[in-house]
Amino acid sequence: MIRALAHVFLAAGMAAAGLVPAIAQQAPEAQERARIGAERVRAQAVLDSELAACYQRFVVTSCVEDARRRHRLAVADLRRQETALNDQQRTRDAADQVRRLDERQRMRSGEDERRASSESASQAERDRRSASKAADRQVGESRASARARSQLPAPPSPGAAETRAARNATRATDEATREAQANERRRKREAATQRRAKPPAMPLPVPP
């Protein structure tokens, strides 16, 4: 029986010792959980050894009850420590979730700002192109209007109109004068023609 107990303690010690290198390489929380697991294994080994020793005694019941009571207390304390670790883990998880949500919100806000900036730049470019097209169209219309005006006769100036009127009046007077002179020459020619065609008058008789 003693040999069996020795094997139990040796197994428990090896289990606890085997956890030490792994515990040293883990994070503090993982190390704490590993320690609690090792303590639980150790408590179970102690219970098994005490129960084995109790069965060798004359009063078995009270010995077993005491061993189990000590085991329950040890396990309850380990459970309390594990619950505290779980609470801390839930708190960290909640904080991590809040940070992730905040990060996504910042990324979304950044994307919205970049999108708004891109849309603003695109709208500005569209406005610039529209204004450029309008300016080009206005320039084209101005050039077309200038070409159309250049093809129209220039409006007479007030002085040119007066000069033209005076010239027309002079021309009309000259034409009237020439016509009157022509009429006068024609009248004279007709009178001369009539005189030549008329027979000479008979001489008066000589008085006796």
Side-chain angles (χ1 to χ4, degrees):
M1 186 66 184
I2 295 175
R3 184 176 297 176
L5 292 175
H7 284 297
V8 171
F9 281 111
L10 180 60
M14 291 178 64
L19 291 174
V20 172
I23 291 173
Q25 297 176 359
Q26 295 173 353
E29 182 179 348
Q31 294 178 3
E32 189 66 14
R33 290 185 184 278
R35 183 191 64 78
I36 292 173
E39 292 292 335
R40 187 176 284 111
V41 171
R42 185 187 299 277
Q44 184 64 42
V46 171
L47 176 62
D48 293 340
S49 64
E50 289 182 351
L51 290 177
C54 288
Y55 289 124
Q56 299 296 323
R57 295 181 182 182
F58 180 74
V59 181
V60 178
T61 303
S62 60
C63 180
V64 170
E65 289 178 353
D66 290 342
R68 288 179 175 174
R69 179 178 56 80
R70 288 190 295 272
H71 179 264
R72 284 195 300 270
L73 292 176
V75 171
D77 183 63
L78 294 174
R79 187 178 298 112
R80 178 187 58 79
Q81 297 178 33
E82 190 173 26
T83 300
L85 289 176
N86 292 335
D87 292 340
Q88 295 175 4
Q89 182 64 43
R90 281 193 294 271
T91 301
R92 284 193 297 271
D93 292 342
D96 290 340
Q97 184 176 5
V98 171
R99 282 194 297 270
R100 286 193 297 270
L101 290 175
D102 291 341
E103 183 64 23
R104 284 198 294 268
Q105 183 63 32
R106 285 194 298 270
M107 292 176 62
R108 189 178 298 111
S109 299
E111 291 176 356
D112 292 341
E113 291 178 359
R114 287 191 294 273
R115 188 180 301 108
S117 177
S118 177
E119 291 177 355
S120 177
S122 298
Q123 183 63 39
E125 180 64 18
R126 288 194 293 270
D127 294 342
R128 187 190 65 79
R129 292 179 180 177
S130 178
S132 178
K133 290 181 179 179
D136 293 341
R137 184 168 56 253
Q138 185 174 3
V139 170
E141 292 176 354
S142 298
R143 290 177 178 176
S145 178
R147 285 194 299 271
R149 286 194 303 270
S150 65
Q151 294 175 357
L152 294 176
S157 62
E162 293 176 358
T163 301
R164 187 179 300 106
R167 190 164 49 249
N168 292 336
T170 301
R171 186 181 300 113
T173 300
D174 293 342
E175 290 179 354
T177 300
R178 285 194 298 272
E179 185 176 359
Q181 291 175 355
N183 291 333
E184 179 64 19
R185 286 193 296 272
R186 186 171 52 255
R187 187 181 62 78
K188 288 180 178 180
R189 284 196 301 273
E190 290 176 353
T193 301
Q194 290 178 358
R195 283 196 301 269
R196 287 193 298 269
K198 184 177 180 181
M202 295 295 294
L204 292 176
V206 177

